[in-house]
Amino acid sequence: MSPRVLVLGGTGEGRRLAEKLAQLGISVVSSLAGRVREPKLPVGEVRIGGFGGREGLAEYLRAERIGTVVDATHPFATRMTENAVSATETTGTELLVLRRRAWSPGPADEWHQVDSLAEAAEKVGELGRRVLLTTGRQELGCFAAARDIWFLVRTVEEPEQPLPPNMTTLTARGPFDTAAELELLRTHRIEVIVSKNSGGSMTEGKLDAARRLGLPVVLVRQPDLPPAPVVHTVAEALTWFRERGSHAG
């Protein structure tokens, strides 16, 4: 029985990588956190739910004879990444981080980049009173004190408490193209967008729309990369595996 690959997924990149590795004849298991009720499932074996911290993940790696872990989680899933670094160090397992590149501003963009949602909440009041908030359904409590601002909160599922007092929720799953985003911003008379700098094309349409309308955007910077090999695309990840022929078969 050859060593297996564990893909810590939940992203489009994770799903695509699991499919490509399976096509190469590599035994892959994808792990999803289970925070979304109806997640898009990757090809092959899937486990849903947490591991029980870094110790639980290390125990799983040993028990399941995992040879390589690919951290293909969301760029802001910092706790899972920290657990992956610790568990792979403890067990001597290879770790590869698949992290999509952050968005970069163009000359026509008015971006205000901050390091946390708390900073974003402080900044947004300086820029507008009608806000499209697309930072995910957790940690919205950072904006709960903004009583003179109206928020359109867009999440995949219903957001968690506490919530901003003046808000409307919109549950939707991307991709969101530029035309649809332009219509959304105009319909709701949005004056500023707040988002995490997640990178990728699935939700980039709102940035294109903001550029066309001349709207400011508050973006939370991606966390620092962990001390591990990092690739930014599925193609780069496959190259990394092929260079280790013992895994690629």
Side-chain angles (χ1 to χ4, degrees):
M1 184 176 177
S2 60
R4 308 168 74 200
V5 174
L6 172 65
V7 176
L8 303 175
T11 60
E13 291 86 358
R15 290 190 296 273
R16 292 194 297 274
L17 179 62
E19 179 180 3
K20 295 296 185 180
L21 291 178
Q23 291 172 356
L24 290 173
I26 298 174
S27 177
V28 183
V29 55
S30 297
S31 176
L32 308 181
R35 293 176 179 169
V36 177
R37 284 191 294 270
E38 297 182 2
K40 294 181 180 179
L41 297 179
V43 170
E45 183 179 345
V46 179
R47 68 174 304 280
I48 297 178
F51 292 94
R54 59 194 65 188
E55 295 84 5
L57 177 55
E59 182 178 344
Y60 178 88
L61 298 182
R62 295 188 186 99
E64 297 297 322
R65 296 193 70 250
I66 301 298
T68 303
V69 174
V70 180
D71 175 13
T73 56
H74 190 276
F76 286 82
T78 54
R79 181 173 297 179
M80 189 67 251
T81 296
E82 291 169 357
N83 288 346
V85 170
S86 176
T88 53
E89 287 179 348
T90 298
T91 59
T93 307
E94 279 195 302
L95 173 64
L96 176 67
V97 176
L98 172 54
R99 186 73 78 249
R100 66 181 78 130
R101 295 186 189 278
W103 296 311
S104 299
D109 289 313
E110 182 188 343
W111 288 10
H112 302 265
Q113 302 196 62
V114 297
D115 291 319
S116 68
L117 285 175
E119 289 185 39
E122 293 178 1
K123 186 67 179 177
V124 69
E126 303 173 10
L127 302 171
R129 289 291 179 267
R130 296 183 66 83
V131 178
L132 173 62
L133 186 57
T134 62
T135 58
R137 69 189 184 98
Q138 300 176 321
E139 301 178 279
L140 294 176
C142 293
F143 300 88
R147 301 192 177 279
D148 59 344
I149 299 176
W150 178 83
F151 292 93
L152 176 61
V153 178
R154 184 170 67 190
T155 57
V156 175
E157 295 185 347
E158 286 298 321
E160 297 181 357
Q161 301 287 342
L163 299 171
N166 303 313
M167 60 165 281
T168 296
T169 59
L170 174 62
T171 54
R173 188 194 299 266
F176 305 107
D177 63 30
T178 301
E181 297 292 61
L182 280 168
E183 181 179 357
L184 180 74
L185 297 176
R186 288 171 173 148
T187 298
H188 293 279
R189 295 179 287 115
I190 297 300
E191 299 172 355
V192 57
I193 297 173
V194 181
S195 179
K196 293 177 178 177
N197 192 335
S198 302
S201 60
M202 289 276 288
T203 60
E204 193 174 13
K206 63 192 170 194
L207 301 178
D208 293 334
R211 185 180 307 117
R212 296 190 188 189
L213 297 176
L215 298 181
V217 179
V218 179
L219 278 179
V220 181
R221 295 184 181 92
Q222 286 192 12
D224 293 336
L225 290 167
V230 176
V231 293
H232 298 290
T233 67
V234 172
E236 290 175 3
L238 292 173
T239 297
W240 186 89
F241 273 95
R242 290 191 178 99
E243 288 173 350
R244 290 152 178 78
S246 59
H247 294 282

